[in-house]
Amino acid sequence: MKSKDSAFIIVREDRAVDPMTLLTEGLTIGRLPDCELVLNHPTVSRVHAGIRETNGVFYIFHLSPSNSTTLNGSLVEEKAAITDEDVVQIGPFFLYIGREGKALTIRVVYQTAVRIGDAEIINEAATGHGLADTPEVPAAAAAGHGGAHGHAGGAAEAGGGDALDVFWDKRKREAGKITRASALRPKAPPRLGKARWNWMPTRDLQRPWPVSVFTWGAILVGLFAILAAFTYTSAFSPAPLSNPHSRQSLTMTPAIAREPNANGCTSCHSLTASMESQCASCHQTQTFDSAVIDPHAAAGIGCVTCHSEHRGDDFRPGLAPISANFQPGKVTAENTCTGCHNDANQKTFNGKRVFTPHGGTLGYPYVGGQWEWEGLSQTEWQQKPEGMKQMMAAWPQGNEQLLRSAQFHVLHLHRVKAINGMASNESGELSCSSCHKSFATALDRATPRTTCAACHNGKIDAQTKAIVLGADAANCNSCHVQHTKDKRHWNPELLTPEKVAVKTPIADQRSAPLLASSH
């Protein structure tokens, strides 16, 4: 049978809207906005029921598996014929049915505090609208009511399956339009008899948050964050920045940084670059280069490994690796050079461990007739003065041991002052006899071990005038320069002025027996 559109006149007494006439083959009733008759209540299913005309008789179809539909107080299990003066209840909504010619009129009334199947309330509602008396059922619909409006017979029974198909086809067509979750769609499968658990109110039942609340909230949060960042930097750090990083101007001469940090955070912390690269780029001047020695670079040792921060305004990052005694409570022995280069350190660096240097002693690296000192790398020699390179070229060389001996003596004989009453040459510089008291076959190897501390007696801090390392402890950085391209020296007063003439080892006649010795 070819479907045709039926006329439905909807009168909404529950809303302040004008009556409307719909032409459709089937009227869908439910909570979804896509239904022709929308009843917005948690006890109403998304597609609750439908009305369709078959052979001149209108039938109501119950489509909800979890909520009920009643006709004149009786439950509608599948479908039932409806006619003039019938009352359909869906949740708290009463649909008063009427006929105007071929059109079906539906007057929607909302009643609060009612239950499905409450006959007394339904009768009271019917009485209020002049429906107290039981209406006569027209002959055209009598056959379809079947007493309790539960089943339809005859032609209606034949068209029942086709009528249901109309509603399901409409649901499938509308389902394609629902591509995202909405406030009316349940978040979980519905529970029978407990539709309220899966119900969310529509926007007309909610009080929306004003946009100004979020706008002013974002503005206030931003203002507090900016105020905290600029007025109390330590709020975001374990402790305040050190004095060198909080200065407004550069005070060290020559400078080892391009510009003062002035308590800035983004100088070190950046979203686009690592902290290591930020530190290295800032500490790059004409007199200072932050490049580290090759062994440390191969071990993955960088700036922040030795020079930490955020330990208070009296903390000195540059002196932290040298001594823990200089900054008690802020630097532990494990974070110093000797604390790392120790047999007790079980940590590995790129798979390799470090051990105690010089066989447990500091200073003269000559043990058991062999030079334990590995000498300077080619990169380090490239940074040495030209006079030192010329002296090295004039020094007798041979195997690896002689090369290390030559490097060691050139480092100590080139422009190094003789202090504390040590023997010197005519220029006041160290000579071989400054450390050795006998030569040739009776070469004195004991005295150098006791005279090393005369020069390597630690460092006096220019700011605090305190001794960084005591006179009884050698300074690792005095022998092992970490930043090989650094043109400065931590104790330049130990050097004599640069001379045009280059001193050669032969200038000191007392060194001749030393040159002929095995080392």
Side-chain angles (χ1 to χ4, degrees):
M1 181 187 302
K2 184 178 180 180
S3 300
K4 65 176 183 178
D5 292 340
S6 302
F8 298 89
I9 301 174
I10 309 299
V11 180
R12 300 297 298 259
E13 293 188 2
D14 60 329
R15 295 184 180 180
V17 295
D18 295 333
M20 66 178 68
T21 301
L22 299 177
L23 293 177
T24 178
E25 57 181 340
L27 181 76
T28 55
I29 306 171
R31 202 173 68 240
L32 278 179
D34 298 316
C35 294
E36 281 87 1
L37 180 54
V38 179
L39 305 178
N40 192 4
H41 194 272
T43 58
V44 179
S45 298
R46 289 178 293 172
V47 178
H48 194 109
I51 299 177
R52 190 189 181 210
E53 180 185 9
T54 303
N55 296 330
V57 179
F58 286 92
Y59 292 85
I60 184 167
F61 293 82
H62 177 63
L63 306 176
S64 173
S66 56
N67 296 299
S68 303
T69 303
T70 64
L71 175 61
N72 298 328
S74 300
L75 290 175
V76 178
E77 296 185 5
E78 292 184 3
K79 62 179 181 294
I82 56 176
T83 185
D84 193 18
E85 297 184 351
D86 278 347
V87 180
V88 176
Q89 183 184 358
I90 297 176
F93 296 93
F94 291 87
L95 311 182
Y96 295 94
I97 309 301
R99 293 293 297 266
E100 290 187 7
K102 295 184 178 181
L104 185 73
T105 63
I106 302 174
R107 182 165 55 89
V108 181
V109 178
Y110 178 78
Q111 297 285 342
T112 58
V114 297
R115 295 174 297 178
I116 293 292
D118 196 331
E120 295 180 1
I121 296 178
I122 292 177
N123 289 335
E124 292 175 2
T127 303
H129 293 84
L131 301 177
D133 299 330
T134 303
E136 295 183 2
V137 179
H145 274 283
H149 295 79
H151 301 279
E157 190 70 35
D162 294 339
L164 276 176
D165 291 339
V166 170
F167 299 115
W168 294 123
D169 290 342
K170 292 184 70 173
R171 281 207 65 183
K172 286 188 287 184
R173 289 197 302 270
E174 297 297 336
K177 302 177 183 178
I178 305 174
T179 57
R180 60 182 178 86
S182 67
L184 289 176
R185 298 187 68 185
K187 298 180 179 179
R191 305 178 188 180
L192 295 179
K194 296 190 177 183
R196 183 179 294 275
W197 289 90
N198 300 313
W199 179 78
M200 292 290 291
T202 55
R203 291 289 296 173
D204 61 327
L205 300 180
Q206 290 181 328
R207 182 178 180 180
W209 285 86
V211 178
S212 60
V213 173
F214 297 98
T215 303
W216 281 107
I219 292 175
L220 291 176
V221 170
L223 289 176
F224 279 119
I226 294 173
L227 182 65
F230 282 94
T231 60
Y232 190 53
T233 308
S234 60
F236 302 95
S237 62
L241 284 172
S242 63
N243 181 269
H245 282 165
S246 61
R247 297 170 186 166
Q248 300 292 330
S249 61
L250 297 174
T251 59
M252 184 180 296
T253 303
I256 65 170
R258 291 187 291 106
E259 57 186 6
N261 186 59
N263 269 329
C265 296
T266 55
S267 301
C268 300
H269 304 281
S270 173
L271 297 176
T272 58
S274 65
M275 188 183 301
E276 194 73 34
S277 62
Q278 293 282 87
C279 294
S281 63
C282 181
H283 292 280
Q284 194 81 20
T285 65
Q286 293 181 351
T287 58
F288 181 79
D289 193 310
S290 59
V292 300
I293 58 176
D294 294 339
H296 274 181
I301 303 297
C303 301
V304 295
T305 307
C306 301
H307 307 289
S308 56
E309 247 300 350
H310 292 296
R311 297 191 182 183
D313 54 1
D314 58 343
F315 177 64
R316 303 292 297 280
L319 301 179
I322 299 178
S323 171
N325 297 328
F326 179 67
Q327 303 180 92
K330 297 184 181 299
V331 180
T332 59
E334 293 77 10
N335 295 327
T336 62
C337 296
T338 55
C340 180
H341 291 273
N342 194 295
D343 291 339
N345 184 12
Q346 301 296 321
K347 184 178 179 180
T348 60
F349 301 89
N350 286 345
K352 297 181 180 180
R353 285 186 56 195
V354 291
F355 302 94
T356 303
H358 309 303
T361 64
L362 299 178
Y364 193 56
Y366 191 82
V367 181
Q370 297 290 324
W371 284 96
E372 296 294 325
W373 180 55
E374 296 182 358
L376 300 181
S377 66
Q378 188 65 28
T379 302
E380 292 174 292
W381 268 113
Q382 293 298 326
Q383 309 305 320
K384 299 304 178 183
E386 189 63 29
M388 187 177 291
K389 295 177 183 177
Q390 294 179 18
M391 182 182 291
M392 183 65 186
W395 201 283
Q397 301 181 30
N399 57 26
E400 182 67 24
Q401 285 293 306
L402 288 176
L403 175 62
R404 296 181 185 180
S405 176
Q407 289 184 348
F408 183 83
H409 287 91
V410 168
L411 287 173
H412 287 81
L413 293 175
H414 181 258
R415 295 181 54 213
V416 179
K417 289 180 181 179
I419 63 174
N420 297 331
M422 298 175 65
S424 65
N425 60 14
E426 65 279 3
S427 300
E429 300 172 343
L430 288 181
S431 65
C432 295
S433 59
S434 299
C435 299
H436 298 277
K437 302 307 179 184
S438 61
F439 304 94
T441 57
L443 181 63
D444 175 21
R445 301 184 188 279
T447 305
R449 299 185 185 279
T450 62
T451 58
C452 289
C455 293
H456 301 279
N457 61 346
K459 175 183 178 181
I460 299 178
D461 181 49
Q463 179 178 343
T464 63
K465 305 302 180 183
I467 299 177
V468 179
L469 288 173
D472 58 342
N475 188 344
C476 300
N477 291 330
S478 299
C479 297
H480 307 282
V481 179
Q482 166 66 14
H483 301 290
T484 56
K485 296 182 180 181
D486 185 6
K487 298 179 176 60
R488 306 170 309 131
H489 193 282
W490 69 264
N491 202 359
E493 60 270 17
L494 291 179
L495 300 180
T496 59
E498 188 73 50
K499 294 180 297 184
V500 178
V502 178
K503 184 184 69 173
T504 64
I506 309 301
D508 187 353
Q509 297 299 324
R510 287 171 294 184
S511 65
L514 180 63
L515 296 178
S517 64
S518 60
H519 78 221

